[in-house]
Every structure is written in C-alpha cells, then in structure tokens.
Amino acid sequence: MIPKHDFKKAVRAAINNPYLQQAMETCTVRRTDRVINSLAELKDLKQTRQTAQKIKQYTIDHLDEQLALLSDKLESLGVTVHWAKDARQAREIIIDIAHQHDCRHCVKTKSMTTEEIELTPALNEAGIETIETDLGEYILQLDNDRPSHIITPMIHKSRQEVGQLFQDKLHADYTEEPEELTAIARHHLREKFQQADLGIVGVNFAVAQTGSLVVVENEGNGRMVTARPGVLVGVMGMEKVVPSAKDLAVMLKLYIRSAVGLRLTSYTNIITGPRKSGEIDGPEHLHLVILDNNRSEILAGPYRNLLHCLRCGACLNACPVYRKISGHAYGTVYPGPIGAAITPLLESSNRLSEKLPEFCSLCGACLERCPVMIDLPGLLIQHKRDLIKKNRSSLFYKLVLSVWTWFYSSPARYRFSQKWARHLMRLIARNGWVTFLPPPGSHWTAVRDVPLPKKQLFRDLWKKTNGNP
Amino acid sequence: MDKTKVETTPFQVSLFTTCLTDSFFPDAAIATVRLLRHLGCEVDLPENQICCGQPQFNNGYHDQARKMARNFIDAFAESLCVVSPSASCTAMIRDYYESLFTDDPHYLPLAQELVSKSYEITEFITKILRIDLQTYKPQARGKVTYHYSCHNRGIDIPPQVTIDLINLIDGVEYIPLDKMDQCCGFGGTFAVKMPEISQALVADKAKCILATGADTVVVNDGGCMLNIAGYCHRHNIPVRFVHIAQLLAESLGLLKDLEGQPS
C-alpha cells in the first residue's frame, strides 16, 4: 500500500474528477458489456466456468505437488527455477541474475506481480535501465505514475495528458491523436528493444506438464521481450501453475474473454525452454522466479480461494465502487474487489489495509463476473469478522449493532423501537420527510431525504384488520 | 426445495414482511398479500418475525446475526412456504443461514428447512405458482422502468423476471434503465460508512432514471427504495416508486381503496 494513504481524500479526488468519471464509465461499464457478450458466445459457459473452477481447486489443493512437477519439468528443459519467499528476495534474485549475465538494459512486459514486488525501481536503482514496454505502462513510467487497473492501467490518463508528457519527456511534437502517440512510443521503444540484453515477463500461466510459460498480450511488446534479449526472466505468483495443456486451453478461453472481451489476444506467447540450437530467436538463458509473498499463509487459511484468481480484472470492471473511485483511491497495487480482499493478506502488517473490506456494498457483481466464481463478497465479510476478533473494528459500529440486535431480538422491543423512532423523526419531519439526521445519519441526509415511517406498522395493521390488510 | 410439500398443501404462504417494509413501505406488504390471495394463496403472518439479521451478518457480527437467525427460524417453524417482497432478505436466508449453523446440530437442519422453503415474491409467482398472469388481464397506464436490486443475483433471479411481469400489464410501456444492474449505493451500513461512494452511486442511478423519461420506477427492495426514492425526493425528481407487487396488484384493481391516500 502507498504509505500514509489518505482514503477519504483520494476517494473525493476521484469522484470530483469529471474526466476520470467519464473515462471510468467507458472503460468499465462498456467493457463489462463486451465481456458479457464475448462470454455469451461460449455455448457451454456455465460448464466451462465450473470446469475452470475445478481445475483451480485441484491445482491449489495440490499446489506443492504441481509446483514440484513444474519445477522438475522446467529444469529438464534447461530453465533455472528460483523460489522467492517475499518481495525483497524476489528483487534480489532478479538483480543477481542480471549481474550474473552482465545485463545493463532491460525491457519488460506488463506484470502486476512485478508491481507487487516493486521490481522496476529496484532494477533501475541497481544500475540496470529498465523500461516498461506495454504502451500504458510505458506512459505511466515516464510520468512516475502507477497503474489504476490491473489490465488497462491508464484509464485515468487522457490523451491530452499523454501528448503533453511525450512533448516534455520525449521532446516530440505535441499531438493528441492516438495513432500518432502510439507511433512516437513505438519509435522510442524500438530502440530499447534493440539495446536490451534482459527481458522480464509476467507469466500468466505456467503449465506443469509441459514446462511452458504463457504470456498473453495485445501489443506485440511481449513477443519482442520474449524473442529478442539473450536473458529472459519470468515472474509469477505461485498460484499461476496449471496442471496440463488441456487445462490451459480452458483457462485461456475464460481469462481472455473475461479480461478484454475478446476471443483471443493478438499475441499468445508460449515459451517452452530456452533457445535450442538452430532456432533463430528466444532467450539463451531462461529463468523463472516463483513468488510466495504470503501466499503460503493464504493457502492455509479461510481465504484460500483467493489463490484461484486469474487476475483478469473482470471484478474491477463490474464493481460499482471501483467504477466510481478508480484504482488509485484504494492505495494498493491490486485495486477493486480482488485488491480489497487480497491486500490485507499480502500486506498483513500494514494497518491501512484494514479499511479495504469496507470498499464494498456487497452487491455481488464481482462474484457474478468472476470466471472462477470466487466469493469475494463473502471473503470481504470474513475480513470484517477477523478484525472484530482482533478487536480492531470500529467501536462505534460495534455499539450501534449491539443496540440494534438487542432491540430486534424481541417483538415487543422491536415494536417499541419502531414507535419511538417514528416519534423522534416526527419532531423534525416536514411534510412527511426528514431532511436532517445527526451523525452518522447525516451522511445519509447529505443528499437524501428519509420518509417518515408509517403511523402503523404493517404487523399492527394486520392485527387491526384481522389479517385482511 | 421440497416440491411435493408445496404441491400437496398448495398455496399456504407465510409472509416475511422484512423490517423496512414493515415500517416504511407497508403498502408493498398490503399489495403482496392481496396479490397472493388473488392468485389463490392463503396468507398468514407469523407474529414473532422481526429481522433476518443481515446488517449484523454483513458487518461481521456473526454471533449477533446467529441470535437473530435463531429467532427468525423459530418464528417460521410452522410455515410451509415463506415469501418476502425483498430479494436481499431472502438472499440472506438462502445464501448464508446454513453457514451460521454449521456447528449447531439442532439449528442446522431447521436452517436448511427454512432455506428450502423461502422465496422472493417474483420468483414465487413465476417459478412456484407458475400462474399465467395474463389470464387475469392486468391493466394500467404509464411509462415504467425497473432497477434490478443486487441481491437478486445471489438467489438466481435474473432481471428479466420482473421485466416480463411489467410487460404483462396491458397499457404499460416498459423503458429499460441504463446500468439497470449497477448497485444504487445503499448496501446497508455501507451508505453511511462510505458516504461519498454511496452518494455518487445513488446520483448515478437517479441520472439514469431521469434519462428514461419514465413516470414510475419499479424497485423490489426496501433498502434500494429508501435510498433512490430519498435521493429523488431531495432533488425534486418527480417519479413514483413502487414494488412490482404494488404495480401488479394495482393493475388487477386490488388497491382501489388505497388510491388517493398519502403514500
């Protein structure tokens, strides 16, 4: 999480930013429509989701075994496998690899796992020039900015801002035409690809049976990164393993449609071992870094199903909260419902993350859209339970709910509470509506009125009319 | 659910009013009772019912929620069929009651029984009664739009169920609501715990409602109703909010005595 992140300020800034609100509408609401339509093309969608869920369930239930299989297969192909306990170790391993091969220029694909371990700044600090080559990430890197979505990282940036940025940082003539902006970036990136001696990729799936590392992308930058540099390092969270190529087919089908609403991404890179003799491209040295970073603890507890996540971002696009506040307001690497659920576990020592489970109205849209049906609302409630157990929940709401429960646990007390609520509200009501309530009700009446409760509860009407209301 | 039970003792329904309907929207309960009776059901009202415990559950206070759930289960122990005008409250029972009693051998089977006999009103009419309402010749006037309340998802009631019911009514024009299935921002305590987000969501909902040009908005949940209607009242957006049971009962002439009364 961003140190000292101010949630309230960030939420307000997002909601009061008209450009952002418009962009979010286009990129989340309409994206969700596209996702739904592309999934609807699958004639066995329900069954495919169940199959995918079963594959993930099996994999996570046998994670040690699957990772051992993957590791053995990779070693037999000549790939060096590294196990990173946490973010720091992962960074150290990768920097070591770079030094070992005397690499100076690194190009990388978009990868949330590398964001999680804060890899790019660490490499740059270690003297290895590291360039993000996904267009969105490239722009964010130039601007010292952070992704606000796990798939489409720069929803929050306008093309005018990008034009200005390219003028300032790349000394290009100002333009706000997307094609021209892309051409400028392409020109600069081409040079970086040619220079690069190290490639870093985020691995979407690793197939245990074949030892294949799968990188999906739409821009061709991933193809460059995996084909050109002599040294290639894949980075993945340990949950990204799938047992077989057959399983991969199921996962890809759901992942790509859920992520971008397409049948297939433009590039699906499947890398099986380093370059063999006679091959004209691909890395001579191939490494895979498998990251734990608290995943073992997640595996052992009630949040285990979070490891089923494919990181498709469909839950972000569907989430009403994310749609309004965008990614930065969460202050996390992973925003949206998945971010709210997993960040308190990935950064369990950070107390700021305790606020995240409240970023949810429990509408269930994320669960409905999740390709592997992770019960995110249920897990967010689980977080609240854990905070209560640790005595870290709000005392005020504890009191409110206890009083509420007391009144609502006997019909007589319930009736009494309703009667007095009405009496009190009548004192301040005008024309049958209450326009102001004391805190925390003031948050409600800031933009809404409250109708005065009816003179007679329905249950009293029922009695009075002998059950003929 | 246990189909044979419903079929051998047909149409004996216990109304689960829900607390918001009990005090804020009794007209929706009146309409539900009259509609069910009109369609051939017998309706009773178990008097010990209070609240399903959803606010406590959603805030993580599961001991408190369990206490309320036990009262609730006891209140409906004798019922054959429990029908409510709220998907949210029905979803609380259907999706979570079992999980509250996994370690309680006495209440677990009782909770499971309640789960198997609980329905939301629109699914009860369309899936259980399976009555062709068209034969009752419902008639009304007006432009009607519909907000899909979130918790319908949790109990597998798609938006089309209510839309089809609206379209059955002769003389009514149904106008789809943009982002019909986007949360209105209510979310119980969410509305006051995360006020800015909740306010932005309800403003978005009202904007979409206004864009339809509809004069009537169907909302089948007390929480959403309180939120959206409260916002529209504050902002002078002149639309009428009704539960689908009200719209149907009205279109069948069952609410004539209530017309003209302040709602």
Side-chain angles (χ1 to χ4, degrees):
Chain A
M1 294 211 55
I2 297 176
K4 297 190 181 153
H5 179 65
D6 185 339
F7 287 109
K8 255 200 158 36
K9 204 171 138 191
V11 164
R12 283 200 188 126
I15 288 172
N16 296 323
N17 177 342
Y19 172 78
L20 182 65
Q21 291 300 316
Q22 187 52 50
M24 292 299 287
E25 179 87 11
T26 317
C27 296
T28 61
V29 181
R30 306 310 157 207
R31 169 66 62 91
T32 298
D33 291 344
R34 274 210 302 281
V35 166
I36 292 172
N37 291 338
S38 75
L39 284 165
E41 290 178 354
L42 301 174
K43 60 177 187 291
D44 49 355
L45 175 60
K46 203 173 162 187
Q47 208 192 332
T48 309
R49 285 175 81 186
Q50 280 165 356
T51 308
Q53 195 188 31
K54 273 188 202 143
I55 294 169
K56 284 306 285 191
Q57 179 93 45
Y58 177 86
T59 312
I60 299 305
D61 286 351
H62 301 82
L63 193 56
D64 50 347
E65 187 186 290
Q66 288 301 319
L67 285 172
L69 283 172
L70 173 70
S71 168
D72 288 350
K73 188 69 201 175
L74 285 168
E75 300 278 0
S76 76
L77 290 165
V79 182
T80 316
V81 179
H82 309 261
W83 304 89
K85 196 179 164 302
D86 53 24
R88 204 177 85 179
Q89 207 175 38
R91 290 192 298 264
E92 285 169 1
I93 290 168
I94 296 165
I95 291 170
D96 274 354
I97 296 170
H99 286 155
Q100 188 193 318
H101 295 284
D102 203 22
C103 299
R104 294 289 170 78
H105 302 282
C106 169
V107 282
K108 68 181 286 294
T109 64
K110 170 172 174 41
S111 149
M112 290 312 294
T113 313
T114 61
E115 292 286 329
E116 182 185 329
I117 61 172
E118 299 174 79
L119 179 63
T120 306
L123 282 169
N124 277 316
E125 260 169 55
I128 303 143
E129 184 208 42
T130 303
I131 304 291
E132 298 283 353
T133 64
D134 171 87
L135 181 57
E137 294 283 354
Y138 176 67
I139 291 163
L140 294 177
Q141 189 185 20
L142 273 184
D143 205 18
N144 280 321
D145 200 354
R146 305 165 51 247
S148 61
H149 189 290
I150 64 178
I151 298 290
T152 41
M154 51 161 282
I155 298 176
H156 60 284
K157 249 188 188 29
S158 69
R159 53 198 171 117
Q160 289 79 8
E161 280 176 89
V162 177
Q164 193 62 53
L165 179 72
F166 280 7
Q167 191 178 25
D168 295 347
K169 295 279 169 79
L170 302 177
H171 312 293
D173 292 335
Y174 179 83
T175 172
E176 49 186 61
E177 292 310 312
E179 290 80 5
E180 291 175 25
L181 289 168
T182 308
I184 296 167
R186 185 188 165 95
H187 172 76
H188 283 265
L189 282 171
R190 191 55 54 128
E191 195 183 309
K192 301 294 177 191
F193 285 127
Q194 280 165 354
Q195 271 180 357
D197 42 24
L198 174 64
I200 292 178
V201 289
V203 173
N204 297 102
F205 301 96
V207 185
Q209 181 196 36
T210 61
S212 306
L213 308 179
V214 182
V215 180
V216 297
E217 41 116 8
N218 270 318
E219 297 174 9
N221 63 313
R223 182 65 47 96
M224 297 285 224
V225 172
T226 53
R228 175 72 184 73
V231 183
L232 182 66
V233 181
V235 184
M236 67 173 220
M238 63 188 211
E239 76 280 14
K240 293 284 175 75
V241 60
V242 291
S244 70
K246 209 175 135 198
D247 299 330
L248 174 68
V250 177
M251 291 303 169
L252 274 181
K253 190 152 67 171
L254 280 180
Y255 172 70
I256 294 168
R257 285 173 197 254
S258 299
V260 285
L262 299 170
R263 290 174 190 164
L264 201 61
T265 37
S266 307
Y267 296 86
T268 305
N269 305 287
I270 301 180
I271 306 132
T272 309
R275 185 194 300 197
K276 296 178 190 72
S277 63
E279 287 181 345
I280 54 163
D281 57 15
E284 282 130 34
H285 305 281
L286 181 56
H287 297 260
L288 179 68
V289 179
I290 300 175
L291 178 71
D292 186 322
N293 208 27
N294 279 358
R295 284 166 175 78
S296 292
E297 272 149 65
I298 297 175
L299 184 67
Y303 301 96
R304 186 187 184 99
N305 284 0
L306 285 176
L307 296 179
H308 293 190
C309 176
L310 310 178
R311 302 282 189 273
C312 69
C315 63
L316 278 64
N317 297 330
C319 174
V321 173
Y322 178 82
R323 285 175 177 186
K324 287 294 161 217
I325 67 173
S326 185
H328 289 173
Y330 291 81
T332 53
V333 172
Y334 303 100
I338 181 64
I342 206 166
T343 309
L345 305 165
L346 294 179
E347 301 186 40
S348 50
S349 56
N350 191 335
R351 292 209 159 168
L352 263 181
S353 68
E354 291 174 358
K355 180 81 178 152
L356 293 168
E358 301 289 352
F359 282 74
C360 171
S361 69
L362 297 174
C363 79
C366 51
L367 170 57
E368 187 181 30
R369 294 275 81 84
C370 175
V372 289
M373 299 176 277
I374 301 170
D375 181 14
L376 289 161
L379 293 172
L380 290 169
I381 293 176
Q382 178 69 38
H383 275 303
K384 296 184 197 171
R385 292 179 69 190
D386 286 354
L387 284 177
I388 291 166
K389 269 184 213 140
K390 285 189 259 176
N391 276 324
R392 304 264 320 136
S393 65
S394 147
L395 286 176
F396 175 75
Y397 281 99
K398 188 176 184 174
L399 181 70
V400 168
L401 285 156
S402 303
V403 172
W404 191 337
T405 305
W406 189 78
F407 276 114
Y408 275 48
S409 293
S410 109
R413 288 200 294 267
Y414 165 76
R415 210 182 235 111
F416 176 87
S417 70
Q418 298 304 298
K419 199 174 135 191
W420 279 97
R422 179 180 148 80
H423 281 327
L424 290 173
M425 285 170 78
R426 258 184 69 189
L427 294 176
I428 48 172
R430 271 182 298 171
N431 302 324
W433 292 82
V434 173
T435 56
F436 170 78
L437 287 172
S442 52
H443 289 313
W444 179 275
T445 49
V447 298
R448 318 164 184 86
D449 295 333
V450 189
L452 194 61
K454 292 294 180 294
K455 211 179 284 174
Q456 202 162 223
L457 293 175
F458 175 73
R459 61 184 63 208
D460 294 333
L461 176 70
W462 179 277
K463 238 183 203 157
K464 208 174 116 188
T465 57
N466 286 320
N468 291 297
Chain B
M1 62 140 248
D2 184 354
K3 273 212 170 112
T4 50
K5 199 175 202 174
V6 176
E7 278 162 18
T8 49
T9 52
F11 313 144
Q12 179 63 47
V13 173
S14 295
L15 180 71
F16 163 25
T17 318
T18 80
C19 21
L20 287 177
T21 306
D22 198 24
S23 52
F24 286 104
F25 309 110
D27 287 359
I30 296 170
T32 303
V33 172
R34 291 186 186 180
L35 179 65
L36 286 169
R37 286 182 174 158
H38 191 70
L39 300 179
C41 301
E42 286 171 26
V43 185
D44 59 71
L45 184 76
E47 60 179 344
N48 286 334
Q49 63 173 297
I50 306 172
C51 167
C52 60
Q54 186 180 183
Q56 284 72 8
F57 186 89
N58 286 352
N59 278 287
Y61 290 95
H62 287 202
D63 289 338
Q64 295 183 24
R66 200 171 290 117
K67 188 174 167 190
M68 294 173 75
R70 272 197 294 266
N71 289 342
F72 191 90
I73 291 169
D74 292 343
F76 287 94
E78 304 297 318
S79 304
L80 295 168
C81 219
V82 180
V83 176
S84 96
S86 159
S88 162
C89 307
T90 303
M92 173 62 209
I93 295 164
R94 292 240 296 261
D95 291 345
Y96 295 119
Y97 263 29
E98 265 194 82
S99 74
L100 283 174
F101 297 106
T102 42
D103 299 327
D104 184 338
H106 176 64
Y107 269 98
L108 182 62
L110 299 177
Q112 285 164 335
E113 199 223 325
L114 180 65
V115 168
S116 72
K117 67 184 183 189
S118 293
Y119 304 96
E120 183 271 347
I121 179 74
T122 63
E123 75 169 341
F124 183 74
I125 293 173
T126 54
K127 265 201 210 160
I128 306 302
L129 291 182
R130 273 182 270 162
I131 284 177
D132 182 7
L133 275 164
Q134 206 123 44
T135 57
Y136 290 81
K137 303 209 183 321
Q139 274 188 344
R141 271 199 307 266
K143 292 180 175 179
V144 178
T145 190
Y146 167 57
H147 161 69
Y148 177 74
S149 296
C150 300
H151 290 185
N152 281 290
R153 287 190 185 100
I155 46 176
D156 294 321
I157 307 175
Q160 205 55 39
V161 173
T162 291
I163 295 171
D164 286 347
L165 288 172
I166 296 169
N167 279 326
L168 278 178
I169 305 171
D170 191 32
V172 157
E173 183 192 347
Y174 167 69
I175 306 169
L177 181 67
D178 189 27
K179 291 181 272 178
M180 161 175 64
D181 63 351
Q182 179 174 289
C183 176
C184 72
F186 177 65
T189 49
F190 171 81
V192 286
K193 279 182 162 179
M194 307 302 275
E196 293 88 355
I197 304 172
S198 172
Q199 289 163 13
L201 284 168
V202 69
D204 192 349
K205 187 58 72 181
K207 199 173 114 191
C208 295
I209 288 173
L210 206 54
T212 62
D215 50 54
T216 303
V217 187
V218 170
V219 179
N220 297 343
D221 213 302
C224 316
M225 183 87 100
L226 208 57
N227 187 33
I228 311 172
Y231 184 92
C232 287
H233 186 265
R234 169 70 58 89
H235 293 85
N236 299 315
I237 298 171
V239 282
R240 186 173 79 117
F241 289 88
V242 291
H243 190 284
I244 185 67
Q246 282 170 278
L247 195 67
L248 287 172
E250 222 171 62
S251 73
L252 297 169
L254 306 175
L255 301 180
K256 280 183 183 148
D257 57 315
L258 299 180
E259 277 164 24
Q261 286 184 16
S263 60

